[in-house]
Amino acid sequence: MVYHIPWIYTPVRSVLAIWHQLTKAEIPELAKCSVLMRDRSRVEDTIYAMQRAGAGRLQVISDFDMTLTRFAHNGKRVPTTHNILDHRLLIDEDCSKKIRELLNTYYPIEIDAGRTAEDKLPLMVEWWTQVHELLIQQRIRKDLLAQAVKESSAMLREGYKVFFDRLTEQQVPLLIFSAGVGDVLEEVIRQNNVFYPNVHIISNYMDFDQTGVLRAFQGQLIHTFNKREGALSHASGLRVLQGRPNVLLLGDSLGDLTMADGVSEHQNILTIGFLNDQMDERKELYVKSFDVVLVKDETMEVPNAILKYITSSTDNKLDA
Ligand code: TMP
Ligand code: MG
C-alpha cells in the first residue's frame, strides 16, 4: 500500500495538515494572552462548523450581569441590575444597608470555587428571596426606574454595540437569560439604544399594582444556579430559537453553563466564560468548564471576533 511508504506518507500527511489548518477558523483575537482554552483545536473546529452552517442556524444565549455588563470600571465595581435599585429615589437607607450586607455575605459564596453548585443552591435562594422581600417592602415605583438607571454607573462591555448590531443585522436571535431584575435590564439596554426586536429576555420581572407600585416578583424565581430549570421551561418554548441548533453561549458564572440545556437537537455549542474575579482560585475550574475563558477582559472583542467569523458567509470569506 502506497500509504505505508514513509517518503510518500510524510508529504501526504503534511498536505492534509496544511489543508486542515486552512479550513480551521482563523481568529487572531484567540491568540491574546487573556484567552485560555482547554482544547484550542476543538474550539476552532466548532467555530468552523458553525460558520459553515451560517447565521441562519445560530442562536446566542447570554447572561447579563457581569457578562454583557462590565465587572469594573476605573477600579470601581459596576452595578448589577439589583444594585442599580440601590438608589435614594427607590429605597431608604436602612434597606440599602441590608441589601449591601446580603451582597457581602452571599456574593463570596456564589463565586467560591471550593463549594459545589448543590451546596450553593439553597443559599442563593435565601439571598434572592431576602433581597426581593426587602425591595417589595419599599413599594418601588415603576415610573422612577428609568431615572435610577440613568443616574447609575451601569455600563455594558466595550464593543457591546458591535455585538448587538451584528446580531440584529444577521437576524440572529439573542436570548438574554438573567437572574437579575428584568425591568432594570430592559431599561439598561434601552438607554444604550440596543433593545432590538431580535433580543429576547428571560429574567425576574417585577409585578406592579394598578398604581405602578411594586407588589411582588412574577413567576418562578431565577437565581444563578437554577438557570437549567428556566432553560427547560421557558427558553425551549421560544419559537424564534427553533431550527437553530448552533449556540454561542456567554456567561460569567458556572451556573450560566446550563442556559442552553433547553435547546433540543443542538449540534454545536461554544461556551465563552468571563473570569472577572478570583482569577487564581477559579482559573482551573473555568478552563475545565468553558470552551473559551476570558481572563479580566472588560471587552466584547473576542465574542465579536468569533461572531464575525461565524456569520461571515463562505463567499465573503473567500473574497476577503
Ligand atoms: P445575572 O444572571 O444577569 O448574572 O444576574 C445575577 C447576578 O446578580 C449574580 O451574579 C449576583 C448578582 N446579585 C447582586 O449583585 N445583588 C443582589 O442583591 C442579588 C440577589 C444578586
Ligand atoms: Mg452574571
Side-chain angles (χ1 to χ4, degrees), residues 63-66 80 82-83 103 110 127-128 131 178-180 224 227 252:
D63 169 56
F64 189 71
D65 289 310
M66 298 181 266
T80 59
H82 278 99
N83 296 345
L103 180 71
E110 184 192 342
W127 181 15
W128 260 257
V131 169
S178 170
T224 338
K227 289 193 174 181
D252 75 291

Side-chain angles (χ1 to χ4, degrees), residues 132-150:
H132 287 187
E133 273 167 14
L134 284 166
L135 294 171
I136 292 163
Q137 281 163 18
Q138 293 295 303
R139 301 177 53 77
I140 288 176
R141 277 173 48 192
K142 185 180 168 70
D143 62 345
L144 295 177
L145 290 181
Q147 193 180 341
V149 170
K150 205 171 285 165

Side-chain angles (χ1 to χ4, degrees), residues 22-307:
L22 286 174
T23 58
K24 278 189 169 189
E26 299 134 28
I27 300 173
E29 286 80 357
L30 288 177
K32 281 173 52 170
C33 55
S34 55
V35 180
L36 304 177
M37 286 176 272
R38 177 181 69 252
D39 184 348
R40 186 191 176 94
S41 192
R42 198 196 149 260
V43 167
E44 290 181 340
D45 287 344
T46 306
I47 294 173
Y48 182 58
M50 288 163 101
Q51 191 264 349
R52 272 180 306 170
R57 305 284 280 164
L58 177 70
Q59 59 174 296
V60 178
I61 304 180
S62 180
D63 169 56
F64 189 71
D65 289 310
M66 298 181 266
T67 295
L68 291 180
T69 61
R70 291 181 67 119
F71 177 72
H73 182 57
N74 290 338
K76 271 191 74 181
R77 287 289 295 272
V78 167
T80 59
T81 49
H82 278 99
N83 296 345
I84 290 171
L85 295 170
D86 184 359
H87 187 290
R88 66 191 152 72
L89 276 177
L90 305 177
I91 63 173
D92 63 31
E93 243 172 69
D94 183 47
C95 176
S96 161
K97 196 167 150 259
K98 285 182 182 149
I99 285 179
R100 280 171 206 212
E101 279 167 8
L102 289 169
L103 180 71
N104 293 337
T105 307
Y106 288 101
Y107 178 67
I109 298 173
E110 184 192 342
I111 64 166
D112 186 349
R115 293 183 192 233
T116 64
E118 289 75 45
D119 277 355
K120 294 177 187 184
L121 199 136
L123 299 164
M124 295 300 107
V125 174
E126 250 175 54
W127 181 15
W128 260 257
T129 308
Q130 288 180 70
V131 169
H132 287 187
E133 273 167 14
L134 284 166
L135 294 171
I136 292 163
Q137 281 163 18
Q138 293 295 303
R139 301 177 53 77
I140 288 176
R141 277 173 48 192
K142 185 180 168 70
D143 62 345
L144 295 177
L145 290 181
Q147 193 180 341
V149 170
K150 205 171 285 165
E151 292 176 8
S152 74
S153 48
M155 249 180 126
L156 295 171
R157 277 183 201 271
E158 200 183 311
Y160 75 90
K161 186 125 177 58
V162 173
F163 178 78
F164 280 87
D165 283 358
R166 181 92 191 169
L167 290 176
T168 202
E169 277 160 24
Q170 299 283 327
Q171 297 176 13
V172 174
L174 167 62
L175 173 64
I176 302 179
F177 199 150
S178 170
V181 180
D183 310 72
V184 179
L185 186 169
E186 283 192 8
E187 198 50 42
V188 173
I189 57 173
R190 191 176 294 121
Q191 290 187 16
N192 282 283
N193 304 312
V194 287
F195 195 1
Y196 299 136
N198 65 318
V199 176
H200 308 274
I201 300 164
I202 295 177
S203 188
N204 297 302
Y205 275 91
M206 292 170 151
D207 181 17
F208 297 97
D209 68 15
Q210 281 173 336
T211 63
V213 169
L214 177 65
R215 63 173 174 197
F217 277 82
Q218 298 178 30
Q220 217 197 336
L221 174 76
I222 304 171
H223 58 76
T224 338
F225 291 101
N226 73 349
K227 289 193 174 181
R228 184 181 150 76
E229 289 166 35
L232 293 171
S233 59
H234 300 307
S236 62
L238 284 176
R239 286 192 60 186
V240 282
L241 307 180
Q242 316 275 295
R244 293 178 176 270
N246 294 333
V247 184
L248 186 63
L249 181 148
L250 275 66
D252 75 291
S253 162
L254 294 177
D256 295 331
L257 283 163
T258 62
M259 294 188 301
D261 285 9
V263 181
S264 58
E265 294 175 11
H266 57 260
Q267 277 166 10
N268 298 288
I269 300 187
L270 188 79
T271 59
I272 303 179
F274 286 94
L275 180 52
N276 297 313
D277 207 359
Q278 298 226 326
M279 268 68 78
D280 293 339
E281 297 85 341
R282 298 198 295 167
K283 200 177 276 178
E284 206 186 316
L285 193 55
Y286 268 55
V287 171
K288 239 192 250 169
S289 312
F290 287 94
D291 299 317
V292 179
V293 177
L294 306 177
V295 184
K296 230 178 166 35
D297 179 352
E298 291 286 5
T299 77
M300 292 297 284
E301 198 183 340
V302 172
N304 281 345
I306 293 174
L307 196 59

